Amino acid sequence: MEKLKIRGGRRLVGEVRTSGAKNAALPILCASLLTAGDLKLTNVPDLADVRTMLLLLEGMGVKVRREGHEVTLNAGALTSTVAPYELVKTMRASILTLCPLVARFGAARVSLPGGCAIGARPVDQHIKGLRALGAEVRIDHGYVDAQSPRLKGARIITDMVTVTGTENLMMAAVLAEGETVIENAAREPEVVDLANCLIAMGAKITGAGTPTIVIEGVKTLHGAEHRVVADRIEAGSYLCAAAATRGDVLVTHCVPGDLEAVTAKLREMGASIESGADWLRLRMTGRPKAVRIRTTPHPGFPTDMQAQFMAIAAIAEGASEITETIFENRFMHVPELARMGAKICVNGHTAVVTGVEALEGAAVMATDLRASASLVIAALAAQGESTVDRLYHLDRGYEHMEEKLRGLGADVERIRS
């Protein structure tokens, strides 16, 4: 079992480059199933989830060539339309193979997904939308079985804003007969990035990034080249690490416009932030100030940044109030932060964090992907040595984090227990 050993109390200073976005790369990798041509992707992050998705696609017969951050996929000779439990159980994003398979091949059998234990995150909206497009869908022994000779365009109104649901239904609609309108669509940058990739492949999509997406189905898509968008959550996490350690960090190769809700709260906490076309620089000279945060779908404050801000709030001046509205189990990092001396009171979906002067190093355990980042941030700011266990959570979404942190002056190393 691997752990991170962190000796806290060092101010982070320097420059860090943002990797490609995991949450954009995964659906775009699945988009390769929609064409017999080559889909060439650049800026693909080296992450556990990406490797799992590539294994899943290769198991279906997709030919994969990877060199560094460049991946070329070809699904011209698929051998299977089944996504087995053995791989799907480790990564919820595997459900994103469902709609491309049905759209192009007329059938799919995909295991119900696993992933982080941060809430139920049901796939009922995916199924509801697929049925609206004319597919026959049933749940059979833990698998979603779907069939349709050719999907037909429809108006789909999701019951909630769902990112993966929007992405899956977009991929279903691009090859459907006629027009599809997705109402209450997710507006996240990763949804827009998928739409841009699909458009490069020949899809006809308008409205991505708004609550209404309109798709005119085409008979076939062709190969294309696409660069995966920068990971706004990774960029935001390094900004938080800089704020927590009263550092001075330049985050490059990011999209500042995708982080406006995050940088606004960091400014409220006392940070000085400058920005350019593809960079953000944060400087924090004093103790952070308490804030109120409420997670909402994009362009609101992202749920994927809630845990990182809680780490800063733990050492902020005053009491912060953090309300989680997206996932019901996303406060599992609270007991671990408490082991480091954080004072946090949870009442339902709201946590009140009373800041302390300093956290103390401790042995802590990651419970999910973003919780792992919050514990790393807390450890960087804490006095003394900490160890963060269950690093497989961190490796799902942060590319070579310890190396990037060392580049900023952190005392951090990966060890085996």
Side-chain angles (χ1 to χ4, degrees), residues 335-360:
E336 299 304 304
L337 288 172
R339 288 177 54 79
M340 304 178 76
K343 295 182 179 179
I344 306 170
C345 179
V346 176
N347 184 9
H349 297 293
T350 298
V352 176
V353 187
T354 303
V356 297
E357 287 285 345
L359 296 174
E360 299 176 353

Side-chain angles (χ1 to χ4, degrees), residues 148-166:
S148 176
R150 188 182 180 190
L151 299 172
K152 298 186 183 300
R155 183 167 180 254
I156 302 169
I157 305 173
T158 60
D159 297 333
M160 64 189 74
V161 177
T162 162
V163 175
T164 54
T166 299

Side-chain angles (χ1 to χ4, degrees), residues 223-234:
E225 293 189 15
H226 180 77
R227 179 178 176 83
V228 175
V229 73
D231 194 324
R232 62 194 172 102
I233 305 303
E234 185 200 31

Side-chain angles (χ1 to χ4, degrees), residues 130-392:
L130 201 49
R131 283 175 173 157
L133 293 167
E136 294 183 7
V137 187
R138 65 190 181 94
I139 307 298
D140 177 43
H141 293 87
Y143 279 78
V144 181
D145 273 321
Q147 294 184 342
S148 176
R150 188 182 180 190
L151 299 172
K152 298 186 183 300
R155 183 167 180 254
I156 302 169
I157 305 173
T158 60
D159 297 333
M160 64 189 74
V161 177
T162 162
V163 175
T164 54
T166 299
E167 291 165 342
N168 228 347
L169 296 175
M170 282 172 55
M171 289 191 283
V174 292
L175 293 181
E177 182 181 350
E179 182 182 88
T180 297
V181 179
I182 304 174
E183 301 277 10
N184 200 28
R187 301 163 62 184
E188 272 71 4
E190 296 79 17
V191 173
V192 176
D193 201 39
L194 173 61
N196 289 338
C197 179
L198 293 171
I199 290 167
M201 296 167 69
K204 297 180 179 179
I205 303 172
T206 58
T210 77
T212 303
I213 300 175
V214 180
I215 303 163
E216 184 65 36
V218 297
K219 287 188 176 180
T220 59
L221 296 181
H222 51 70
E225 293 189 15
H226 180 77
R227 179 178 176 83
V228 175
V229 73
D231 194 324
R232 62 194 172 102
I233 305 303
E234 185 200 31
S237 297
Y238 286 114
L239 292 174
C240 286
T245 61
R246 305 185 190 186
D248 182 352
V249 171
L250 176 69
V251 180
T252 67
H253 295 81
C254 61
V255 184
D258 291 346
L259 284 157
E260 289 178 352
V262 170
T263 52
K265 286 299 175 184
L266 286 169
R267 287 191 175 100
E268 279 186 44
M269 297 184 110
S272 170
I273 299 177
E274 301 172 70
S275 65
D278 65 350
W279 58 268
L280 285 160
R281 182 183 181 184
L282 181 145
R283 284 174 283 186
M284 179 74 87
T285 56
R287 186 178 175 187
K289 298 178 177 63
V291 291
R292 296 182 70 179
I293 289 171
R294 183 180 182 86
T295 65
T296 56
H298 192 77
F301 188 90
T303 180
D304 279 354
M305 289 300 306
Q306 175 259 108
Q308 296 90 314
F309 268 78
M310 189 176 287
I312 307 175
I315 54 171
E317 184 178 349
S320 298
E321 184 178 286
I322 301 175
T323 302
E324 174 60 57
T325 72
I326 308 298
F327 296 126
E328 66 270 24
N329 293 339
R330 208 156 202 180
F331 285 150
M332 292 191 295
H333 47 280
V334 168
E336 299 304 304
L337 288 172
R339 288 177 54 79
M340 304 178 76
K343 295 182 179 179
I344 306 170
C345 179
V346 176
N347 184 9
H349 297 293
T350 298
V352 176
V353 187
T354 303
V356 297
E357 287 285 345
L359 296 174
E360 299 176 353
V364 292
M365 181 176 64
T367 53
D368 61 74
L369 170 54
R370 303 309 171 186
S372 65
S374 76
L375 297 177
V376 169
I377 292 168
L380 290 167
Q383 296 176 347
E385 183 177 288
S386 299
T387 55
V388 181
D389 203 350
R390 291 190 178 176
L391 278 196
Y392 56 85

Side-chain angles (χ1 to χ4, degrees), residues 37-209:
D38 282 356
L39 180 60
K40 182 179 179 181
L41 304 175
T42 58
N43 202 35
V44 179
D46 181 21
L47 299 170
D49 274 9
V50 169
R51 293 190 289 272
T52 298
M53 183 63 80
L54 291 175
L55 284 174
L56 176 61
L57 293 171
E58 284 183 305
M60 295 176 176
V62 178
K63 294 180 180 178
V64 176
R65 299 194 307 274
R66 180 165 194 173
E67 294 183 12
H69 293 96
E70 183 177 296
V71 179
T72 301
L73 306 101
N74 185 285
L78 217 66
T79 57
S80 173
T81 57
V82 177
Y85 172 73
E86 288 70 25
L87 287 173
V88 175
K89 68 180 180 180
T90 65
M91 184 180 63
R92 183 179 183 274
S94 305
I95 195 67
L96 288 163
T97 60
L98 175 66
C99 287
L101 288 170
V102 177
R104 181 163 164 236
F105 299 99
R109 181 172 169 82
V110 178
S111 173
L112 289 169
C116 279
I118 57 173
R121 300 200 288 183
V123 298
D124 58 324
Q125 298 305 302
H126 306 237
I127 294 170
K128 173 186 172 183
L130 201 49
R131 283 175 173 157
L133 293 167
E136 294 183 7
V137 187
R138 65 190 181 94
I139 307 298
D140 177 43
H141 293 87
Y143 279 78
V144 181
D145 273 321
Q147 294 184 342
S148 176
R150 188 182 180 190
L151 299 172
K152 298 186 183 300
R155 183 167 180 254
I156 302 169
I157 305 173
T158 60
D159 297 333
M160 64 189 74
V161 177
T162 162
V163 175
T164 54
T166 299
E167 291 165 342
N168 228 347
L169 296 175
M170 282 172 55
M171 289 191 283
V174 292
L175 293 181
E177 182 181 350
E179 182 182 88
T180 297
V181 179
I182 304 174
E183 301 277 10
N184 200 28
R187 301 163 62 184
E188 272 71 4
E190 296 79 17
V191 173
V192 176
D193 201 39
L194 173 61
N196 289 338
C197 179
L198 293 171
I199 290 167
M201 296 167 69
K204 297 180 179 179
I205 303 172
T206 58

